[in-house]
């Protein structure tokens, strides 16, 4: 698994729960180190181990932890760069949803060896969608739930999300966009670079 | 706004950075995005060549000349600050009375979006500019990560090198570092002194007061030896209680004897550890490396060792300068 993904988990735990909890999780996972490097590749088995360890240390179900990671990735100021990159997907939440099919390709444009699970948006009529996520990493759908929830907030859209289960190597999220311009949303200034 | 009839509305969507010019080069219509370049001044009626400096092709001052280069790439620069560089291309309108210039920021788009507060809506739906801005940010973020990794790896490398040359208990140089220093001085042909320093009664401290006391004594000894030698000297711990000092650029033997005497005097003072007095001292054997004598590193260290042995035999807390006659005594 790409170091960026493992490091995202690390930063989520440190920024939300403190360094001690993270150090504890690395011990439970028997990592032998505490710092993931974002530009290195790690063994595929490491990520599920770390997620289980984090879930154990925080005493919370793993799917809840994964959804929180998704929310963290979009809403925490320490990872503002990622929110900005996602906002390039469209000027409204619905346009953003339609850009999700391209997400793995966009990620690969930025970091050529970063392979995200494929995702596909299905359109069921006005305001009604489902997002099908490949789940090599069990619970990836929950991460996407967190991302979508936070992005809806970011755009100021009112949307209802429901994880409708997994099977056949995919997880599905039902998305109902009730109102596109429900709230003010956060500003997205093309020229204000996060770095 | 209907200079060109319905076409203007279509152009506003397809090329929001276009201008329609009259035969005299006056702006007759400005696309919505190009108007954002001068938000406080309506562009209609202004002269195109008054707004923009044409950097290439050169020497064009009239609309007639401009129309003559229709279809070729124009390098333009806004005359007012910020003097944004802009690319353009001009075509004659179908009515043959007007000209249409389409503009693009090119590479200056990264600054332009912040200078002119542009949004996605300011670019045509088919314009890949937004994707380009995405790439610029994504690449910067990825490069930033890589750069941080490189810095950390560099730090780790320096730390590993330091450790490999350092005795971790005392912070002195280790045997490897000492070999390195000695062979360098031999290569350079420096005249230098080598002291073999052996602690006296250290084993007794270790045996009666324990290893913690022993470690404390070694650290204190290390500090004293560094204090009593010059910055250009090298102090190395080469064994449990054995040290080597390399003293380059020494003339005669007086200076060496003076430093050796100070080391012995300082090390003979009691060292306190958790209320207990640790009594040690030091014996020193010194040899001088004369470049002309062409001795090897092993030979010069052995000379110092022979001198050290003589000091030990003379009742400790003494120093001896190597003399070939000593070897005869040792047998």
């Amino acid at each position: 698994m790409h170091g960026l993904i493992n490091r995202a988990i690390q930063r989520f735990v440190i920024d939300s729960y403190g360094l001690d909890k993270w150090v504890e999780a690395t011990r439970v996972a028997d990592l032998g180190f505490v710092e993931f490097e974002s530009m290195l590749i790690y063994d595929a088995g490491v990520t599920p181990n770390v997620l289980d360890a984090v879930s154990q240390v925080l005493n919370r179900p793993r799917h809840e932890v994964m959804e929180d990671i998704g929310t963290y990735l979009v809403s925490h100021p320490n990872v503002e760069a990622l929110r900005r990159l996602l906002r390039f997907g469209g000027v409204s939440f619905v346009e953003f949803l339609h850009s999700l099919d391209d997400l793995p390709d966009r990620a690969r444009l930025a970091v050529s060896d970063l392979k995200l699970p494929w995702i596909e948006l299905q359109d069921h009529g006005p305001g009604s969608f489902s997002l099908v996520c490949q789940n090599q990493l069990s619970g990836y759908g929950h991460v996407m739930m967190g991302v979508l929830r936070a992005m809806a907030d970011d755009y100021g859209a009112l949307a209802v999300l429901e994880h409708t289960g997994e099977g056949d190597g995919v997880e599905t999220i039902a998305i109902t966009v009730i109102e596109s311009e429900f709230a003010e949303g956060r500003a997205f200034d093309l020229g204000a670079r996060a770095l | 706004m209907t200079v060109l009839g319905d076409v203007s509305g279509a152009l506003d969507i397809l090329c929001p950075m276009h201008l329609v010019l009259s035969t005299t080069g006056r702006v007759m219509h400005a696309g919505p995005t190009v108007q954002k370049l001068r938000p406080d001044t309506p562009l209609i009626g202004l002269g195109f060549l008054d707004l923009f400096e044409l950097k290439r092709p050169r020497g064009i001052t009239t609309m007639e000349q401009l129309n003559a280069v229709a279809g070729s790439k124009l390098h333009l620069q806004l005359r007012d600050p910020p003097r944004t560089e802009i690319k353009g291309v001009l075509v004659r309108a179908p009515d043959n009375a007007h000209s249409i210039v389409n503009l693009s920021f090119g590479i200056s788009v990264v600054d332009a979006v912040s200078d002119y507060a542009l949004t996605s809506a300011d670019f045509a739906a088919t314009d890949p500019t937004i994707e380009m801005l995405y790439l610029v940010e994504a690449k910067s973020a990825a490069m930033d990560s890589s750069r941080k990794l490189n810095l950390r790896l560099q730090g780790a490398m320096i730390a590993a090198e330091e450790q490999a040359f350092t005795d971790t208990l005392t912070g002195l140089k280790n045997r490897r570092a000492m070999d390195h220093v000695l062979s360098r001085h031999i290569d350079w042909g420096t005249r230098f002194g080598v002291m073999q320093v052996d602690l006296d009664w250290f084993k007794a401290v270790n045996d009666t007061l324990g290893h913690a006391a022993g470690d404390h004594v070694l650290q204190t000894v290390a500090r004293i030896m560094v204090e009593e030698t010059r910055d250009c000297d090298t102090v190395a711990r080469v064994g449990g209680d054995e040290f080597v000092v390399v003293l380059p650029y020494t003339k005669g033997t007086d200076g060496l004897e003076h430093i050796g005497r100070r080391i012995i005097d300082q090390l003979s003072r009691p060292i306190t550890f958790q209320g207990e007095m640790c009594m040690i001292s030091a014996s020193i054997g010194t040899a001088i490396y004369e470049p002309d004598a062409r001795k090897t590193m092993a030979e010069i260290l052995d000379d110092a060792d022979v001198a050290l042995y003589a000091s030990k035999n003379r009742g400790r807390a003494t120093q001896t300068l190597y003399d070939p006659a000593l070897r005869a005594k040792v047998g």
Side-chain angles (χ1 to χ4, degrees), chain A residues 1-165:
Chain A
M1 196 67 75
H2 203 283
L4 273 169
I5 292 170
N6 294 325
R7 193 164 170 90
I9 301 170
Q10 174 190 334
R11 292 182 69 170
F12 158 74
V13 177
I14 293 174
D15 288 344
S16 314
Y17 297 94
L19 185 61
D20 291 350
K21 290 284 180 199
W22 172 248
V23 172
E24 200 183 331
T26 61
R27 290 208 185 112
V28 171
D30 200 16
L31 272 190
F33 56 88
V34 293
E35 187 98 358
F36 278 115
E37 285 296 347
S38 41
M39 286 294 147
L40 297 181
I41 307 285
Y42 294 85
D43 201 69
V46 169
T47 312
N49 276 349
V50 168
L51 285 168
D52 287 335
V54 169
S55 157
Q56 188 186 323
V57 167
L58 301 181
N59 197 20
R60 299 185 54 204
R62 179 168 140 171
H63 70 89
E64 263 185 45
V65 170
M66 291 183 84
E67 183 169 335
D68 282 359
I69 290 173
T71 307
Y72 164 85
L73 287 175
V74 182
S75 54
H76 199 279
N78 285 1
V79 282
E80 170 74 5
L82 188 63
R83 175 191 89 96
R84 284 190 56 80
L85 292 177
L86 287 171
R87 280 291 292 256
F88 274 103
V91 292
S92 70
F93 183 59
V94 171
E95 209 176 292
F96 164 76
L97 288 177
H98 282 290
S99 77
L100 285 175
D101 289 0
D102 298 337
L103 190 66
D105 285 336
R106 280 179 172 262
R108 221 178 34 248
L109 266 183
V111 181
S112 55
D113 53 2
L114 175 58
K115 290 186 187 73
L116 294 183
W118 61 259
I119 48 180
E120 188 186 318
L121 186 82
Q122 293 171 350
D123 201 333
H124 307 301
S128 174
F129 306 89
S130 52
L131 187 70
V132 183
C133 316
Q134 179 195 20
N135 70 343
Q136 291 157 311
L137 178 65
S138 175
Y140 184 66
H142 290 281
V143 176
M144 286 308 297
M145 280 265 283
V147 167
L148 292 180
R149 224 185 269 293
M151 284 308 283
D153 267 6
D154 212 82
Y155 278 105
L158 181 62
V160 177
L161 306 169
E162 192 191 350
H163 193 285
T164 56

Side-chain angles (χ1 to χ4, degrees), chain B residues 40-116:
Chain B
D40 304 324
T41 328
L43 296 177
I44 310 287
L46 299 180
F48 178 76
L49 290 170
D50 299 329
L51 270 170
F52 295 97
E53 181 185 340
L54 186 57
K55 305 195 81 178
R56 222 168 300 155
R58 293 179 182 282
I60 289 177
T61 53
T62 68
M63 193 59 205
E64 208 173 12
Q65 291 170 317
L66 197 57
N67 280 329
V69 293
S72 49
K73 193 177 190 175
L74 308 174
H75 290 258
L76 303 155
Q77 186 171 30
L78 277 166
R79 289 187 186 275
D80 296 336
R83 295 174 50 82
T84 308
E85 302 224 17
I86 288 178
K87 285 189 291 185
V89 63
L90 176 143
V91 293
R92 304 303 308 273
D95 66 3
N96 242 353
H98 296 91
S99 305
I100 303 166
V101 188
N102 193 27
L103 303 175
S104 154
F105 290 111
I107 205 75
S108 68
V109 69
V110 177
D111 293 327
V113 285
S114 54
D115 287 346
Y116 305 115

Side-chain angles (χ1 to χ4, degrees), chain B residues 218-275:
Chain B
L218 289 172
Q219 286 164 343
T220 310
V221 167
R223 183 175 49 74
I224 290 171
M225 292 192 23
V226 169
E227 279 168 9
E228 295 305 330
T229 50
R230 304 160 304 169
D231 285 350
C232 64
D233 300 335
T234 303
V235 183
R237 177 167 172 243
V238 297
D241 58 350
E242 300 160 42
F243 301 80
V244 169
V245 189
V246 182
L247 308 105
Y249 320 116
T250 41
K251 294 193 183 76
T253 56
D254 289 354
L256 289 172
E257 286 192 42
H258 183 66
I259 292 175
R261 180 37 55 198
R262 278 208 320 245
I263 290 175
I264 291 170
D265 287 347
Q266 290 300 320
L267 293 186
S268 301
R269 292 163 181 243
I271 296 167
T272 334
F273 177 70
Q274 293 180 346

Side-chain angles (χ1 to χ4, degrees), chain A residues 4 7 35-40 81 84-86 88 91 106-107 109-112 188-195, chain B residues 110-111 113-114 117-121 123 130-131 133-142 144-146 149 152:
Chain A
L4 273 169
R7 193 164 170 90
E35 187 98 358
F36 278 115
E37 285 296 347
S38 41
M39 286 294 147
L40 297 181
R84 284 190 56 80
L85 292 177
L86 287 171
F88 274 103
V91 292
R106 280 179 172 262
L109 266 183
V111 181
S112 55
F188 175 61
D189 179 357
L190 273 186
R193 269 169 289 164
L195 297 172
Chain B
V110 177
D111 293 327
V113 285
S114 54
L118 302 178
T119 70
S120 306
F123 297 93
I130 301 301
E131 278 77 5
L133 291 172
Y134 161 82
L135 264 187
V136 169
E137 281 205 24
K139 282 288 166 204
S140 312
D144 193 51
S145 271
S146 285
L149 171 60
R152 278 195 294 273

